[in-house]
Amino acid sequence: WGAPPVHEMPEAAGAPRVLGPQLCLDESGNIVLNASSLQQGDQEEDRCAFAADGPVQEMSVTQYEQAYRKTPPSKWTPKETEDFYEALRLYGTDLFLVQTFFRNKSATQIKSKYQKELKKFPGKVKLALTTQARKLTKATFEEMHGKIDTSRHFK
């Protein structure tokens, strides 16, 4: 159970270096501190790479500039605004579902639109959520998104 001590780890086999305390599971399944990971080895290679006695070395770190999809900013057209209210009538304040109406809008843009509309036109938003609210049925869903293919559903 747990990671072997640093001096037993095969560096040549590609195993990662352990630079700090390690957690492991005991026989009962409890998370415990691996006491052997607290001992600092006498070898120079066991020392942390960030020694204070020399200049800081540049580490190779991959930049994740494209890690998150960034939706380009865009103005809401009158048609998109009307579709937004239609989505509110169907899905209520579940903005994740409202977002399914808009493939080119991010969750942040949908939330921002909701907050702006609520601030500018609270009566219109309230009507869409109460009096004008529509029940989401299979027929309504298929009308908007196309026929549901049930051939692959579990039976």
Side-chain angles (χ1 to χ4, degrees):
W1 296 92
V6 175
H7 62 278
E8 292 179 18
M9 294 186 85
E11 293 290 330
R17 280 186 64 194
V18 178
L19 298 175
Q22 299 293 302
L23 297 176
C24 61
L25 298 175
D26 65 6
E27 297 78 29
S28 303
N30 298 316
I31 299 173
V32 295
L33 181 65
N34 184 348
S36 64
S37 68
L38 296 175
Q39 299 171 355
Q40 186 175 3
D42 295 333
Q43 300 173 351
E44 183 66 29
E45 66 185 11
D46 286 342
R47 292 186 137 185
C48 182
F50 305 108
D53 57 328
V56 175
Q57 295 179 351
E58 218 33 67
M59 302 293 283
S60 174
V61 177
T62 304
Q63 294 292 325
Y64 291 100
E65 294 172 0
Q66 301 300 324
Y68 298 100
R69 180 177 72 100
K70 295 190 188 230
T71 308
S74 62
K75 295 229 180 232
W76 286 75
T77 65
K79 170 76 170 111
E80 287 175 326
T81 299
E82 188 49 46
D83 288 346
F84 176 79
Y85 278 102
E86 181 60 27
L88 283 181
R89 288 181 197 103
L90 280 173
Y91 300 127
T93 56
D94 188 338
L95 299 181
F96 182 77
L97 288 175
V98 170
Q99 188 183 358
T100 62
F101 260 60
F102 307 97
R103 293 178 182 234
N104 63 337
K105 303 287 185 192
S106 69
T108 304
Q109 289 171 318
I110 299 294
K111 182 178 178 184
S112 176
K113 177 68 171 173
Y114 176 73
Q115 290 172 336
K116 286 178 185 175
E117 292 295 316
L118 194 58
K119 190 174 184 178
K120 285 183 178 180
F121 308 107
K124 190 173 179 181
V125 172
K126 184 178 179 182
L127 277 175
L129 294 174
T130 56
T131 310
Q132 298 174 347
R134 293 176 51 197
K135 186 171 183 167
L136 180 61
T137 62
K138 181 181 175 191
T140 308
F141 184 88
E142 287 181 339
E143 175 186 314
M144 295 169 7
H145 300 288
K147 183 144 176 61
I148 298 172
D149 179 15
T150 58
S151 64
R152 297 182 185 173
H153 290 186
F154 181 76
K155 294 181 182 182

